[in-house]
Amino acid sequence: MDKLKILHMYPAMLDLYGDSGNVEILSYRCKMRGIEVEVSKHDLGDKETDFTQYDIVYLGGGADFEQQLLADDLLALKDKVKEAYESGVYFLMICGGYQLMGQYYKDSNDKKIPGLGLFDYYTVASTNKRERCIGNIVVETELDGEKYKVIGFENHGGQTDNVTTPFGKVLAGNGNKFESSTEGYTEKNVTATYLHGPLLSKNPKLADHIISYCMERKTGEKYVPKEINDKLENDCRKQLFDRLLKN
């Protein structure tokens, strides 16, 4: 039986708005296709993690306090994480996880938290703690050559700049910055976004896109996921789109 290995980084610290649910969704949708899933955790202080041995590396969202606690630990892993990224391991990163992989994050107290520097973007929070990008958000992205609307919930004071390849176009909500036209960051094996929710429960096609990439990387053959009954998810998506995109 095929097996996908997921590494969940700092699960006790990066779990805003049910972000750990993304791992549950990936596991569920794999098992519905007969794909065995093995989920491992990387916690603060772990030294022996080999990131290249995983198919998916996942980081959820966390507030400024958690990011400060994690920064030094993450920086010590820079070479290992970079090796996994360059080898094609899929990186899914939400909010704080997204920010930590950039050049740096400057919080609302003007404290600069160094990022892993894996990507060129950087994030600066408003010094007014009440100024936040918050609310439901809809982003139009492209998955496997087709446009797809991704929906989630954003709540971030950080304003992310220097994004060369955004995840998608903002149709409703803010995005990388206040009233931005774009949201997140993407590459072939990277999805970085501010969307909580958890993200994948509301966007099953994105979950399947990630699974398909990983299966094709493992087997060297094109993978077409068996259909799952997503009527409930799609009905919920339609209700939200009707409300949020009524203009």
Side-chain angles (χ1 to χ4, degrees):
M1 179 184 287
D2 293 313
K3 179 191 286 189
L4 281 189
K5 298 177 70 176
I6 302 173
L7 180 64
H8 191 172
M9 296 189 68
Y10 312 114
M13 303 179 75
L14 298 180
D15 187 27
L16 284 180
Y17 307 111
D19 284 340
S20 290
N22 289 317
V23 174
E24 296 181 30
I25 296 298
L26 287 168
S27 299
Y28 167 76
R29 297 185 75 82
C30 281
K31 291 175 182 177
M32 291 292 287
R33 277 93 177 223
I35 302 170
E36 185 180 350
V37 175
E38 179 181 303
V39 179
S40 301
K41 298 178 181 180
H42 174 90
D43 291 313
L44 200 66
D46 290 348
K47 304 295 185 184
E48 305 302 322
T49 305
D50 184 352
F51 294 86
T52 64
Q53 296 304 303
Y54 294 90
D55 299 294
I56 300 170
V57 172
Y58 174 68
L59 290 92
D64 290 0
F65 177 70
E66 285 80 11
Q67 288 180 244
Q68 291 171 18
L69 290 178
L70 296 177
D72 289 342
D73 189 78
L74 195 58
L75 281 173
L77 304 169
K78 180 175 181 176
D79 291 341
K80 290 183 177 181
V81 173
K82 184 178 180 182
E83 182 183 4
Y85 157 69
E86 291 179 343
S87 73
V89 173
Y90 202 98
F91 279 73
L92 175 60
M93 305 169 292
I94 310 296
C95 198
Y98 167 25
Q99 294 170 346
L100 285 168
M101 288 295 180
Q103 297 297 307
Y104 61 84
Y105 171 66
K106 187 178 286 188
D107 69 16
S108 58
N109 295 316
D110 211 33
K111 180 176 180 178
K112 193 172 184 179
I113 302 170
L116 206 65
L118 204 61
F119 309 111
D120 291 336
Y121 58 78
Y122 56 88
T123 305
V124 178
S126 170
T127 54
N128 182 345
K129 293 179 173 59
R130 294 187 177 184
E131 287 185 349
R132 303 185 65 82
C133 299
I134 184 169
N136 289 311
I137 177 171
V138 181
V139 177
E140 184 177 77
T141 190
E142 187 171 298
L143 300 177
D144 306 315
E146 296 182 1
K147 290 183 178 180
Y148 182 70
K149 291 184 179 68
V150 178
I151 189 166
F153 176 79
E154 62 177 340
N155 184 358
H156 57 101
Q159 309 293 290
T160 301
D161 266 305
N162 203 35
V163 176
T164 53
T165 50
F167 176 51
K169 173 185 175 183
V170 176
L171 303 181
N174 285 286
N176 283 326
K177 300 187 291 185
F178 293 116
E179 299 182 352
S180 176
S181 61
T182 58
E183 200 282 328
Y185 178 85
T186 191
E187 292 183 16
K188 183 179 180 181
N189 60 320
V190 176
T191 297
T193 176
Y194 277 112
L195 274 63
H196 299 280
L199 170 72
L200 298 181
S201 65
K202 297 178 180 177
N203 304 286
K205 188 172 181 179
L206 177 57
D208 288 350
H209 169 79
I210 295 170
I211 293 168
S212 296
Y213 168 89
C214 294
M215 291 300 296
E216 290 176 13
R217 177 173 175 263
K218 288 180 74 74
T219 66
E221 300 177 357
K222 184 172 179 59
Y223 179 79
V224 179
K226 181 181 72 176
E227 287 193 14
I228 295 175
N229 184 354
D230 290 325
K231 184 179 185 305
L232 177 61
E233 290 85 345
N234 289 327
D235 286 348
C236 290
R237 282 166 55 81
K238 184 179 184 303
Q239 290 288 328
L240 289 166
F241 292 148
D242 287 347
R243 177 158 60 90
L244 297 172
L245 302 177
K246 56 187 176 183
N247 294 328

